[in-house]
Amino acid sequence: MGLTSTDATLIYNPVAGFWDWRTAIDRFARFWTARGWTVHIQSTRSTGHATELARAAAEAGHGLVFAAGGDGTLNEVANGLIHSETALAPLPVGTANSFARELGLARPNLLQSNWLVEVSHALARGRIQVMDVGVCEDGRHWLLWASAGIDSFAVRQIEPRPLWFKRLGPAGYAARFLMVLPQFQGVEAIITVDDRRFEGDFVLVNVSNCRLFAGGELRLNATAVLDDGLFEVWLFQGRDWPTVMRYMVDISRELHRNHPNVIWTQGRTISVTTIPPLDYHLDGEPVGLTPFATSIVPRALRLLAPDSAPAGLFSGPGAPLPN
């Protein structure tokens, strides 16, 4: 599982996040160069470019690809690395950075000048792990969630965000979410999880591959494992937006698992149909309208997991980086 190459590509999304982090990115690259790595910095130019750059790095035999951006950038980079020997290394410079929070990495903070130093050392002390990913019928892979409901409705209303809005950070996103929330009225849905079928009115249908949700602010799956070959599926029943608010309070208190109107199950192949069709998202990026189907691809992606990752997130010990 270990890496044999000390060549790395750093893919930087210049429009990610709420600040221009290029100077910090250069310092990050120098940190790894001082440790014997050859780092090639590449900036993305358009949607999908990060996937092309990551695939080229894998074909060149690079050991690591650092993904400098938010969860959307991570998604694109991962799509270029699936089933390769090259490991994804997250460098959180986006707005939410949910996966970085999942891994215990420090997130961008203008008031804490050492956040990138913390990230650098945590990754350098990390280990190469493998993780499951989801794949949809169109061949697109995802890391964290495939979801339809209030979250996908809000994402469609909010994205794409202008630069001035991104500079408001997570607080701006949360404020905008609360503004559009009363417009959402739930949806009738049919969900199949392997050979089980669920029907009803739902405010959220979430297929999860991780522990956190809502930009990393809520813990949806307290004990999820990234390489166990299973999705966690959450079906939150209801129709009106006050129900959404009550669910959010329950999730924040980690009481949702035993809620009488919440269905939780696990599975490998999931399909979601809604009436009428509704936007769904992958890793926080709107991609189309329901119906959609997705299945799990076990242990398909190599990941540089920092030493800050919580206990039990992976089933195995992983392998150290090359000296």
Side-chain angles (χ1 to χ4, degrees), residues 59 99 106 148 153 176 256 261 306 320:
E59 291 172 352
F99 196 44
F153 176 82
R176 180 61 178 158
H256 56 292
N261 293 326

Side-chain angles (χ1 to χ4, degrees), residues 214-269:
E217 300 297 331
L218 299 175
R219 189 180 305 277
L220 195 59
N221 307 289
T223 58
V225 180
L226 296 186
D227 57 356
D228 64 352
L230 291 169
F231 292 132
E232 281 73 40
V233 182
W234 293 90
L235 311 177
F236 290 81
Q237 300 178 84
R239 289 291 296 189
D240 57 9
W241 69 265
T243 301
V244 175
M245 297 300 296
R246 290 192 290 270
Y247 281 141
M248 291 178 67
V249 172
D250 285 344
I251 297 171
S252 69
R253 300 170 63 194
E254 300 197 27
L255 300 175
H256 56 292
R257 179 74 174 266
N258 298 316
H259 195 291
N261 293 326
V262 175
I263 300 169
W264 174 86
T265 188
Q266 292 178 299
R268 295 179 173 84
T269 301

